[in-house]
């Protein structure tokens, strides 16, 4: 047996030596101790020790997707992708996926599963199979007394897979994401009358959202971890106490159920605060429950949100040091997941961090990932002061004095500053807020986060005062769900619109000019607070305005029931409005286009002309065959906008009532 084992090892060494390896985005894990973590090397990991890996594959037609998302964010297009569109145009092919599956199978992995959008391939294996598949060894470590492991060299794949595999997750547990939560210390907080904890139900009034309709047409997603039984029970109690209807809550478990309840404070704050900010009534809340806060599990959780394509607003009150995320390949793989969300009309709201400008635990300014991703809204933190009736009075940055005190493990402070890993997106550069920097700046906006003015969160029947940017992010999640619901869930990812419209519409924000967390607050956008906090009603009015409403159609654009209009054509980006008067007593009204070539979409509304961002019904497939039906239509005038997504000609339009 020993001789056979020696022969096997020798054969493997010869094969590995002969293989030509291609690099991935997953590099050797940095294991140095920091202010936050004490790391000690133990030994090489035993070859039979079990592992779980998630292999991230590269998108196809990336340049085309980049243009699509850029057009969406800039307002040049409002046509988002369906899940089917994404799979057909941008997801890895079946052949590419099969090549990865075959490689994993050959190297000893089992229980291989492929995500529905082909972006991730998950598998169970061992340290030995990791060495065979990815040409790197795993070693074990103690991290603050916790057992962990990490890859000691860069992960690679055979040359034939170099154009397919982007990154490999599950090769390290030294660096985990952490929650952005900070509990209030009431005994030591400096308390004045205007600085106090708030029920989550107070925040709509504080930020001028109470006059907006609730987000009854929107779905909120929340990234969580572990056992959520108590979180859901507490949410039901919270809704009953607040007079809200019971929320339709479902849980999606990622990589197996976990009994861990250590995150209950976080998940309770996320669920209760986002629901209250949304007005107490939403279509659905989906809790994506990862097994752990590892790179592998959270990547799978983010991707499941995109696969499901149900939630318009998704909360992430988590983050890790951005340089660790870049080294592990998380930046590369998760950015393309978040970009896919943007393409589908989904918005991730992410905490900017609770360690001031020093997320990585040293005196160098570094930020938190995924807050620095250009495809998420990064939400920073403030201390909010209120007067009577919970009216907004003033606001300052959640401040801290130096890099040691700014650490979340110490006093904490609002995350924000220039990224060291992500370039600035075009919409941030165009706004001119970054000065000479060419790197992504965070946060984009800020909301309450200082524990002294934090949320009174219901946990196991008792109120606990909690802050951190883990509060700010779900507040924006709820507010954005409210704005989306008001606009028929038609608004694109809002970052570009925020930066484009900020200068001309300063009333969208409470500009925050006091406080310091490594960077000082100043008039206008700054690294300490972004544009400041939201005046939600004004924000909704500006961001939800989309374009201008088309004028009433000329007489020649009036449709008659059953009479087709033929030979229609428009150049790309243009539109035409039609009307039809529907008498009382009709059971249905249908608009239908057919024939010709190109890509036209139809939008319809009762009583006023629709736009591509404000309408009652839409049909926006990728051809000229579109159809909209109103059941039991009201008596009166219906408007139809015929929009050219791509130049079309020879199209027939008919309305039947």
């Amino acid at each position: 047996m020993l001789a056979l084992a020696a022969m096997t090892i020798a054969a493997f060494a010869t094969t590995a030596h002969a293989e030509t390896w291609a690099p991935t985005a997953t590099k050797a894990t940095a294991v140095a101790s920091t202010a936050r973590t004490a790391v000690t090397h133990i030994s090489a990991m035993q070859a039979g020790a079990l592992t779980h890996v998630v292999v991230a594959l590269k998108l196809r037609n990336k340049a085309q997707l980049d243009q699509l998302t850029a057009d969406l964010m800039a307002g040049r297009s409002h046509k988002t992708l369906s899940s089917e569109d994404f799979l057909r145009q941008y997801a890895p092919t079946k052949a590419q996926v099969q090549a990865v599956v075959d490689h994993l199978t050959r190297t000893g992995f089992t229980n291989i599963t492929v995500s529905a959008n082909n972006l991730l391939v998950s598998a169970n294996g061992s340290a030995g199979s990791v060495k065979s598949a990815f040409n790197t060894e795993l070693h074990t470590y103690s991290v603050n007394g916790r057992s962990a492991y990490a890859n000691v060299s860069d992960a690679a794949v055979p040359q034939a897979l170099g154009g397919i595999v982007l990154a490999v997750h599950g090769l390290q547990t030294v660096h985990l994401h952490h929650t952005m939560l900070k509990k209030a210390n009431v005994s030591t907080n400096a308390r004045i009358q205007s600085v106090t904890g708030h029920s989550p139900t107070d925040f709509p009034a504080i930020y001028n959202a109470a006059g907006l309709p609730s987000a009854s047409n929107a779905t909120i997603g929340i990234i969580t971890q572990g056992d959520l039984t108590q979180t859901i029970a507490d949410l039901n109690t919270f809704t009953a106490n607040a007079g809200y209807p019971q929320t339709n809550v479902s849980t999606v478990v990622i990589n197996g159920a976990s009994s861990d309840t250590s995150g209950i404070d976080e998940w309770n704050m996320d669920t209760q605060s986002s629901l209250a900010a949304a007005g107490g009534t939403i279509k659905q809340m989906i809790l994506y429950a990862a097994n752990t806060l590892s790179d592998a599990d959270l990547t799978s959780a983010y991707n499941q949100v995109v696969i499901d394509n149900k939630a318009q607003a998704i909360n992430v009150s988590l983050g890790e040091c951005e340089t660790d995320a870049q080294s592990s390949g998380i930046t590369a793989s998760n950015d393309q997941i978040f970009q896919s969300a943007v393409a589908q009309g989904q918005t991730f709201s992410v905490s900017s961090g609770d360690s001031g400008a020093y997320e990585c635990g040293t005196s160098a300014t570094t930020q938190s990932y995924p807050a620095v991703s250009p495809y998420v809204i990064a939400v920073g933190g403030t201390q909010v002061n209120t007067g009577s009736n919970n009216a907004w009075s003033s606001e300052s940055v959640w401040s801290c004095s130096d890099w040691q005190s700014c650490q979340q493990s110490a006093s904490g402070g609002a995350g924000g500053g220039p990224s060291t890993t992500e370039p600035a997106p075009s919409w941030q550069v165009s706004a001119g807020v970054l000065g000479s920097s060419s790197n992504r700046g965070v946060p984009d906006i800020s909301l309450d986060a200082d524990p002294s003015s934090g949320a009174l969160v219901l946990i196991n029947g008792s109120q606990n005062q909690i802050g951190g940017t883990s509060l700010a992010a779900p507040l924006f999640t709820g507010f954005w769900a409210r704005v989306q619901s008001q606009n028929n869930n038609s608004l694109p990812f809002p970052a570009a619109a925020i930066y484009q419209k900020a200068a001309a519409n300063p009333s969208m924000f409470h500009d925050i000019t006091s406080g310091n967390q490594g960077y000082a607050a100043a008039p206008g956008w700054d690294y300490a607070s972004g544009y400041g906090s939201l005046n939600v009603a004004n924000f909704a009015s500006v961001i939800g305005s989309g374009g201008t409403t088309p004028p009433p159609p000329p007489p020649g654009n009036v449709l008659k029931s059953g009479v087709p209009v033929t030979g229609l054509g428009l150049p790309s980006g243009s539109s035409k409005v039609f009307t039809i008067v529907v008498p009382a007593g009709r059971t249905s009204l249908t608009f239908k286009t057919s024939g010709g070539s190109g890509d036209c979409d139809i939008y319809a509304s009762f009583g006023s002309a629709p736009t591509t961002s404000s309408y009652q019904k839409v049909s926006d497939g990728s051809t000229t065959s579109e159809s909209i039906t109103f059941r039991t239509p009201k008596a009166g005038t219906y408007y139809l906008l015929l929009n050219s997504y791509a130049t079309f000609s020879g199209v027939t339009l008919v309305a039947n009532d």
Side-chain angles (χ1 to χ4, degrees):
M1 292 292 292
L2 289 175
L4 178 61
M7 291 173 61
T8 302
I9 293 171
F12 168 75
T14 301
T15 302
H17 180 74
E19 182 70 74
T20 301
W21 296 94
T24 70
T26 300
K27 307 306 178 185
T29 301
V31 292
S33 296
T34 69
R36 181 177 289 149
T37 56
V39 182
T40 304
H41 179 262
I42 304 299
S43 65
M45 196 170 179
Q46 292 185 350
L50 299 180
T51 61
H52 174 76
V53 299
V54 175
V55 182
L57 278 58
K58 297 177 181 179
L59 289 166
R60 290 184 296 123
N61 302 322
K62 184 63 162 58
Q64 181 180 334
L65 182 63
D66 290 345
Q67 187 61 55
L68 184 149
T69 52
D71 288 346
L72 282 170
M73 290 188 287
R76 294 187 294 268
S77 171
H78 295 274
K79 186 172 183 179
T80 56
L81 291 176
S82 67
S83 299
E84 294 75 19
D85 290 335
F86 174 83
L87 191 63
R88 183 177 64 255
Q89 299 177 52
Y90 303 109
T93 66
K94 290 182 179 179
Q96 290 174 323
V97 169
Q98 191 59 51
V100 174
V101 170
D102 290 345
H103 176 62
L104 293 173
T105 302
R106 283 194 302 268
T107 51
F109 284 92
T110 60
N111 298 326
I112 301 171
T113 59
V114 179
S115 66
N117 62 358
N118 287 354
L119 277 186
L120 304 178
V121 180
S122 304
N124 294 333
S126 64
S129 53
V130 165
K131 174 66 176 175
S132 299
F134 307 116
N135 199 34
T136 183
E137 287 186 352
L138 302 182
H139 284 212
T140 58
Y141 299 84
S142 172
V143 181
N144 293 339
R146 170 179 62 85
S147 296
Y149 59 86
N151 55 308
V152 296
S153 61
D154 297 354
V157 292
Q159 193 69 43
L161 298 180
I164 300 173
V165 172
L166 178 61
V168 184
H169 303 310
L171 304 188
Q172 69 89 23
T173 56
V174 169
H175 306 297
L176 302 176
H177 286 62
H178 60 92
T179 59
M180 302 298 188
L181 172 149
K182 189 71 177 174
K183 289 188 175 182
N185 188 340
V186 178
S187 63
T188 59
N189 276 340
R191 311 289 291 195
I192 58 177
Q193 186 175 2
S194 61
V195 181
T196 185
H198 298 279
S199 167
T201 59
D202 294 341
F203 289 109
I206 293 171
Y207 289 113
N208 194 26
L212 298 178
S214 296
S216 57
N217 192 39
T219 293
I220 289 174
I222 301 178
I223 302 297
T224 65
Q225 181 267 329
D227 185 349
L228 301 173
T229 304
Q230 187 60 49
T231 292
I232 294 173
D234 287 335
L235 179 64
N236 290 336
T237 302
F238 170 76
T239 57
N241 292 346
Y244 299 151
Q246 184 166 317
T247 305
N248 175 17
V249 182
S250 61
T251 302
V252 177
V253 175
I254 310 298
N255 193 26
S258 167
S259 60
D260 184 11
T261 58
S262 61
I264 185 173
D265 295 356
E266 178 64 69
W267 321 133
N268 282 30
M269 181 160 66
D270 292 349
T271 53
Q272 294 170 31
S273 298
S274 61
L275 177 65
T281 306
I282 60 176
K283 182 178 180 180
Q284 187 180 13
M285 180 177 287
I286 307 175
L287 308 180
Y288 290 88
N291 186 273
T292 70
L293 295 181
S294 68
D295 290 347
D297 288 346
L298 287 174
T299 298
S300 296
Y302 300 146
N303 194 50
Q304 193 61 51
V305 173
V306 173
I307 290 170
D308 291 348
N309 197 12
K310 293 180 180 178
Q312 289 78 41
I314 305 99
N315 186 75
V316 182
S317 292
L318 302 164
E320 68 172 335
C321 166
E322 62 175 325
T323 57
D324 292 337
Q326 183 184 49
S327 177
S328 68
I330 279 292
T331 301
S333 64
N334 289 10
D335 269 3
Q336 69 175 19
I337 292 172
F338 296 135
Q339 183 182 11
S340 301
V342 170
Q344 294 182 167
Q346 299 177 286
T347 296
F348 278 83
S349 169
V350 181
S351 302
S352 69
D354 290 356
S355 295
Y358 314 98
E359 173 63 28
C360 296
T362 71
S363 59
T365 57
T366 45
Q367 305 311 310
S368 177
Y369 188 88
V372 294
S373 171
Y375 302 108
V376 307
I377 298 295
V379 189
T382 70
Q383 180 190 86
V384 66
N385 304 323
T386 55
S388 60
N389 300 319
N390 285 315
W392 185 91
S393 175
S394 65
E395 213 161 357
S396 59
V397 172
W398 176 28
S399 297
C400 49
S401 57
D402 54 53
W403 77 267
Q404 291 101 333
S405 67
C406 284
Q407 295 301 298
Q408 185 183 39
S409 56
S411 298
S419 172
T420 62
T421 62
E422 295 269 24
S426 60
W427 39 265
Q428 203 167 41
V429 173
S430 299
V433 298
L434 299 177
S436 60
S437 176
S438 59
N439 293 339
R440 167 80 158 114
V442 294
D444 299 308
I445 55 139
S446 294
L447 291 164
D448 186 33
D450 191 320
S452 66
S453 59
L456 301 173
V457 181
L458 187 67
I459 303 172
N460 288 311
S462 299
Q463 284 189 336
N464 294 257
Q465 188 167 328
I466 309 174
T469 52
S470 276
L471 169 60
L475 288 177
F476 180 75
T477 298
F479 291 144
W480 181 243
R482 207 163 181 158
V483 176
Q484 274 285 33
S485 181
Q486 189 180 32
N487 289 274
N488 299 302
N489 298 322
S490 65
L491 300 180
F493 176 72
I498 290 172
Y499 282 80
Q500 290 166 0
K501 298 181 179 184
N505 299 278
S507 67
M508 290 195 294
F509 313 107
H510 302 117
D511 190 12
I512 297 171
T513 58
S514 64
N516 188 312
Q517 44 67 279
Y519 293 92
W525 188 95
D526 53 65
Y527 287 125
S529 66
Y531 279 113
S533 68
L534 294 181
N535 180 318
V536 179
N538 293 350
F539 173 80
S541 177
V542 172
I543 299 299
S545 63
T548 58
T549 301
N557 291 353
V558 176
L559 301 172
K560 294 183 179 180
S561 181
V563 179
V565 179
T566 60
L568 293 171
L570 289 171
S572 178
S574 58
S575 60
K576 193 171 187 178
V577 176
F578 296 83
T579 63
I580 184 170
V581 178
V582 178
R586 294 296 191 262
T587 58
S588 68
L589 168 65
T590 298
F591 295 104
K592 185 176 182 179
T593 59
S594 61
S597 61
D599 185 357
C600 68
D601 303 325
I602 54 177
Y603 301 78
S605 293
F606 174 79
S608 62
T611 69
T612 55
S613 62
S614 180
Y615 51 84
Q616 288 178 283
K617 289 182 178 290
V618 60
S619 180
D620 58 355
S622 57
T623 68
T624 60
S625 297
E626 308 291 350
S627 181
I628 287 174
T629 298
F630 290 88
R631 303 296 180 189
T632 59
K634 301 176 185 177
T637 302
Y638 281 78
Y639 291 74
L640 180 131
L641 177 73
L642 183 64
N643 185 66
S644 177
Y645 184 74
T647 299
F648 69 87
S649 61
V651 172
T652 297
L653 168 65
V654 65
N656 287 286
D657 63 16

